[in-house]
Amino acid sequence: MGAAKWIGGIFGFVTLGPLGALLGYFIGSLVDEETISVGSGGASSGRTTSGYSRQQRTYQGERNNFLFSMLVLASYIIKADGKVMHSEMEYVRNFLRMNFGEYAVQQGEQILLTLFERQKEMNRRNPEAFKNTIRDCSAQIAANMDYGQRLQLLDFLVRIARSDGIVALEELVALREIAGYLQLLQTEIDSLLNLKGDSLEEAYKVLEISSNVTDSEVRAAYRQMALKHHPDKVATLGEDIRKAAEEKFQEINSARAYLPS
């Protein structure tokens, strides 16, 4: 499968602004026989989206915009501690394989490797250059994705950081930076980091509350979390993303089960 296959389906807000600049850099780096054209009207690489209905194009565009945005932010998290861990790259590969199909694995890895190279080039001139680009990309994402979709993006980034069993301090700092850039609450980080926990302390953190709250406050906190993280919030991104959100939702329910009724 040519590297242009998936990237050719991108159109919409990702083709503009700082995300569009990174997309253009990736396209320019491709050594591929296929020809790609990206613009406000869509993109093509052999097979185009022109044969799809407007609804299908919108659906596919949202999914691909979400995936490219995730990879851009993931490139910053993975390199936050100065090294690329095999476990983190393998997590991304497995995620792409399970949720987007085998064709997306090669593509996603190539995008990440290109972004790592771009980060190195930019930071050679200015150590803050790529960080500033991530800030600008995150602001672009925040302006074009709703809160539930941004939460799901953050959840994926947290899971990538946790994939080697340890979240390094540099990774935690980077996660908090991105959460702020995405206009998400900092408490979301602590909540997501403690999913799959097996203690009362972690359960309280998942629900973003302290241990001295009343039973009624526990119930209210759970209702708020259930509303924010409900899988329906990302239903427009496809069944695979919804299933990932369902897994997170089940982990929130498990944390709730530890706490008083």
Side-chain angles (χ1 to χ4, degrees):
M1 178 71 65
K5 187 71 172 178
W6 172 77
I7 208 75
I10 285 185
F11 62 93
F13 82 87
V14 161
T15 66
L16 307 172
L19 283 169
L22 290 178
L23 178 63
Y25 179 84
F26 171 70
I27 291 172
S29 72
L30 282 177
V31 179
D32 199 289
E33 295 180 355
E34 300 175 84
T35 300
I36 307 175
S37 62
V38 176
S40 59
S44 62
S45 58
R47 177 186 175 187
T48 72
T49 60
S50 59
Y52 296 160
S53 69
R54 181 183 181 87
Q55 183 178 10
Q56 288 173 320
R57 290 197 301 273
T58 299
Y59 165 74
Q60 195 63 38
E62 281 193 35
R63 281 171 52 79
N64 290 347
N65 288 343
F66 183 89
L67 179 54
F68 185 73
S69 298
M70 187 195 77
L71 292 172
V72 168
L73 300 184
S75 73
Y76 186 61
I77 296 300
I78 291 173
K79 287 279 287 183
D81 58 358
K83 53 193 175 184
V84 178
M85 299 292 292
H86 171 76
S87 55
E88 294 171 333
M89 291 296 291
E90 192 61 20
Y91 179 89
V92 175
R93 293 187 195 102
N94 289 334
F95 168 80
L96 292 171
R97 184 176 292 111
M98 291 175 61
N99 294 287
F100 292 88
E102 190 65 40
Y103 77 96
V105 177
Q106 177 188 358
Q107 180 88 68
E109 186 168 13
Q110 189 170 0
I111 289 173
L112 280 176
L113 294 176
T114 302
L115 290 169
F116 293 152
E117 186 60 32
R118 182 58 173 163
Q119 181 174 357
K120 185 188 303 183
E121 291 177 7
M122 293 177 70
N123 288 350
R124 191 178 294 123
R125 299 190 296 270
N126 174 7
E128 297 291 308
F130 196 72
K131 175 181 177 178
N132 292 339
T133 294
I134 290 297
R135 177 198 62 206
D136 295 341
C137 287
S138 298
Q140 185 180 359
I141 292 167
N144 288 277
M145 288 188 191
D146 63 31
Y147 201 92
Q149 292 174 342
R150 282 177 275 145
L151 267 182
Q152 193 61 44
L153 264 182
L154 186 63
D155 179 58
F156 290 141
L157 298 178
V158 168
R159 290 173 189 269
I160 290 170
R162 286 189 348 193
S163 61
D164 59 355
I166 299 174
V167 179
L169 177 60
E170 297 88 347
E171 292 173 328
L172 181 58
V173 170
L175 286 168
R176 294 196 182 282
E177 287 174 349
I178 287 179
Y181 298 153
L182 290 175
Q183 298 179 26
L184 299 173
L185 299 174
Q186 290 296 311
T187 51
E188 309 286 10
I189 295 291
D190 296 325
S191 175
L192 294 172
L193 282 171
N194 285 279
L195 288 176
K196 290 190 174 180
D198 55 2
S199 71
L200 274 174
E201 180 183 1
E202 290 167 327
Y204 280 116
K205 288 180 179 179
V206 168
L207 295 189
E208 302 176 15
I209 53 178
S210 64
S211 59
N212 60 356
V213 297
T214 64
D215 291 357
S216 62
E217 287 173 322
V218 169
R219 292 192 293 271
Y222 170 73
R223 286 194 296 270
Q224 183 178 13
M225 290 294 291
L227 183 62
K228 285 195 300 184
H229 292 275
H230 198 283
D232 286 349
K233 296 287 187 180
V234 295
T236 60
L237 298 175
E239 187 61 25
D240 36 27
I241 298 297
R242 193 181 191 283
K243 286 181 179 178
E246 285 175 351
E247 179 183 349
K248 177 184 59 174
F249 195 68
Q250 289 168 359
E251 291 168 354
I252 292 171
N253 286 334
S254 296
R256 171 67 183 92
Y258 272 99
L259 301 177
S261 300

